[in-house]
Amino acid sequence: MPSTPNSTTEFNNPTLEILITAGQLQKRIGEMGAEITRDYAGRRPELICVLKGAVLFMSDLMRAIDLNLSIDFIAVSSYGKGKNSTGEVRIVKDLDEPLEGRDIILVEDILDTGLTLSYLVNNFRSRGATSIRIVTLLNKPERRKVEVTPDYCGFNIPDKFVVGYGLDYAERYRNLPYIGVVKE
Ligand code: IMP
Ligand code: MG
């Protein structure tokens, strides 16, 4: 048998502290899906996943929504992130479908400064979407630089750098089924 150095070490990582377990994530996502199903009854929303971090959340959330929905993907990168954040966001991979007349649900992994989502909401509005709501798995309210309020939020978390369940640190940890905090 070839050795698989990452399988057990990554899933029981000694450098990570678990913040939200896989079970807690799935339970909460089930509740969020039920809420969206009720709110959008009779409509056909378009779920837009912000790549790459929201990919696991998107795939579980869409299975928890009992509606005739469609999906699309967008990828963005931001300039000058960190100390000198300009708030300038660039679309790296754009949507495949037009937004005209659609009820959009923007699916994000984490709402931090709010710069990414405020840019996307304004951008989608200018493309003629009928309505735009934000669903985020995680929210760090303390970190906000521009006012963005999620319509649906999984968990409010403290100002700590988190990884797992789609979220990365230098592209690592995205495959973890839980949310963890990297130990100092
Ligand atoms: P915002 O524009 O500052 O709200 O940026 C949100 C984006 O920053 C998220 O989509 C993540 O990609 C990234 N991000 C913010 N906080 C964290 C974190 O704690 N862990 C991993 N990525 C994060
Ligand atoms: Mg992201």
Side-chain angles (χ1 to χ4, degrees):
M1 279 282 279
S3 66
T4 51
N6 277 335
S7 55
T8 48
T9 48
E10 287 290 80
F11 282 80
N12 302 295
N13 198 303
T15 64
L16 291 182
E17 216 171 291
I18 297 182
L19 185 68
I20 306 169
T21 65
Q24 288 171 320
L25 288 172
Q26 294 307 319
K27 179 170 180 280
R28 183 70 188 114
I29 292 166
E31 293 167 357
M32 295 169 88
E35 201 182 334
I36 291 170
T37 303
R38 281 195 300 274
D39 291 353
Y40 285 82
R43 286 193 280 168
R44 198 171 60 83
E46 169 122 312
L47 266 59
I48 297 181
C49 173
V50 185
L51 294 171
K52 307 173 191 170
V55 74
L56 295 198
F57 178 42
M58 173 83 158
S59 65
D60 283 333
L61 181 68
M62 64 190 275
R63 278 179 279 193
I65 299 175
D66 186 13
L67 293 170
N68 175 9
L69 56 77
S70 57
I71 64 169
D72 207 342
F73 297 86
I74 194 163
V76 296
S77 85
S78 37
Y79 294 111
K81 253 205 150 157
K83 284 181 203 146
N84 304 314
S85 186
T86 55
E88 214 178 312
V89 176
R90 185 169 57 100
I91 293 175
V92 176
K93 181 235 170 279
D94 205 355
L95 302 168
D96 291 334
E97 304 297 330
L99 297 182
E100 188 92 50
R102 298 301 310 268
D103 290 310
I104 301 303
I105 303 178
L106 245 170
V107 182
E108 240 308 22
D109 50 1
I110 185 164
L111 180 50
D112 188 34
T113 62
L115 292 169
T116 308
L117 282 180
S118 74
Y119 172 84
L120 286 177
V121 167
N122 288 330
N123 181 286
F124 289 0
R125 235 179 236 135
S126 74
R127 298 196 215 183
T130 298
S131 71
I132 304 167
R133 283 189 179 179
I134 293 170
V135 52
T136 187
L137 179 65
L138 306 175
N139 184 27
K140 287 183 188 169
E142 295 166 47
R143 293 262 307 163
R144 210 72 89 249
K145 282 186 185 161
V146 289
E147 207 192 308
V148 180
T149 311
D151 299 282
Y152 307 94
C153 171
F155 302 87
N156 282 320
I157 61 165
D159 182 12
K160 285 184 179 165
F161 195 83
V162 293
V163 296
Y165 197 69
L167 291 147
D168 73 306
Y169 175 61
E171 293 301 322
R172 192 178 160 189
Y173 302 119
R174 291 195 197 275
N175 57 326
L176 299 179
Y178 54 83
I179 300 286
V181 179
V182 183
K183 289 182 192 164
E184 300 292 322

